[in-house]
């Protein structure tokens, strides 16, 4: 299963997709790309952490062009609503795309976005982190979770809401990590974090 997950659900709210967990338990492989705005919803980070812990392979990107699910590279479902269905008077509609050049193009689009996305994994504490959480580093689990969200492009306010801290506390953690990394900007922090194995 290949998924593009954007904010504002169309058919079901985040965290209510029990079918995915059942499929993961049967060995179905899920690769999911999350748009950064998805993490603004309450509980979204915990839902992603639960899915990754169950076996989902997740990455984050700043923006996705559409909502999309592709099964076995042979069939795709693409909702035909511009935003989420929340509050929409019309029932959600979707295009079903079978084996065709359009399906091949959508699969290639997924793979292209996948290449540029930031990988997300879950450590033993349930925190969403980068891909090398086993490497020794001076960061706490909270710092690694915060850094992962920061590098994924999520705003301080959304990070604060997801982690349950004040925005100012998030900014203090970021400043501390910048000092540890010898970075003067957040972009430099991201580069230094990657080079030091923090991501």
């Amino acid at each position: 299963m290949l998924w593009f997950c954007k904010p504002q659900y169309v058919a079901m709210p985040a965290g209510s997709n029990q079918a995915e967990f059942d499929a993961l338990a049967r060995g179905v492989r899920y690769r999911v790309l999350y748009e950064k705005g998805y993490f603004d919803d309450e509980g979204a980070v915990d839902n992603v952490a639960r899915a990754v812990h169950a076996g989902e392979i997740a990455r984050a990107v700043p923006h996705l062009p559409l909502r999309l699910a592709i099964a076995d590279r042979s069939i795709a479902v693409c909702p035909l609503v511009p935003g989420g269905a929340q509050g929409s008077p019309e029932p959600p509609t979707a295009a079903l795309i079978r084996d065709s050049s359009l399906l091949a193009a959508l699969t290639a689009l997924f793979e292209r976005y996948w290449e540029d996305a930031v990988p997300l994994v879950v450590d033993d504490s349930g925190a969403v982190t980068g891909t090398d959480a086993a490497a020794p580093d001076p960061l706490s689990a909270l710092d690694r979770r915060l850094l992962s969200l920061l590098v994924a492009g999520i705003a301080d306010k959304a990070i604060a809401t997801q982690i349950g801290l004040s925005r100012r506390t998030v900014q203090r953690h970021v400043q501390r990590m910048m000092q540890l990394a010898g970075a003067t900007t957040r972009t430099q922090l991201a580069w230094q974090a990657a080079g030091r194995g923090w991501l």
Side-chain angles (χ1 to χ4, degrees):
M1 293 296 300
L2 310 177
W3 286 85
F4 274 176
C5 282
K6 291 176 68 69
Q8 299 180 344
Y9 68 87
V10 172
M12 66 181 88
S16 66
N17 186 1
Q18 185 58 43
E20 177 182 352
F21 292 101
D22 296 342
L24 285 165
R26 291 192 315 269
V28 175
R29 186 173 180 222
Y30 274 76
R31 287 196 294 150
V32 183
L33 281 164
Y34 292 96
E35 184 175 301
K36 72 176 183 176
Y38 175 88
F39 295 101
D40 291 341
D41 294 337
E42 185 177 337
V45 171
D46 291 335
N47 291 331
V48 172
R50 179 177 168 232
V52 170
H53 195 270
E56 176 182 289
I57 303 166
R59 294 187 177 185
V61 294
H63 177 72
L64 290 169
L66 70 159
R67 299 176 201 292
L68 176 68
I70 302 172
D72 297 326
R73 297 178 184 266
S74 63
I75 192 167
V77 177
C78 182
L80 300 176
V81 292
Q86 301 165 336
S88 173
E90 299 295 322
T93 58
L96 186 64
I97 303 150
R98 298 193 183 273
D99 195 21
S100 63
S101 58
L102 178 57
L103 179 61
L106 290 171
T107 303
L109 180 69
F110 177 90
E111 295 297 348
R112 181 64 189 98
Y113 271 82
W114 185 260
E115 287 176 19
D116 292 337
V118 175
L120 302 173
V121 296
V122 177
D123 66 16
D124 292 337
S125 71
V128 177
T129 67
T131 57
D132 194 8
D137 65 59
L139 303 182
S140 67
L142 174 63
D143 286 335
R144 288 193 307 270
R145 183 177 183 190
L146 190 152
L147 183 61
S148 179
L149 296 170
L150 181 71
V151 171
I154 300 168
D156 287 359
K157 183 177 179 183
I159 292 171
T161 301
Q162 292 296 328
I163 295 178
L165 300 172
S166 72
R167 186 173 168 195
R168 182 68 188 129
T169 301
V170 167
Q171 291 169 343
R172 279 196 302 268
H173 277 269
V174 171
Q175 285 298 318
R176 185 181 144 277
M177 287 186 285
M178 288 173 65
Q179 288 173 344
L180 285 170
T184 57
T185 66
R186 290 179 178 215
T187 301
Q188 289 177 355
L189 172 60
W191 282 105
Q192 289 292 330
R196 293 166 186 253
W198 295 352
L199 291 175

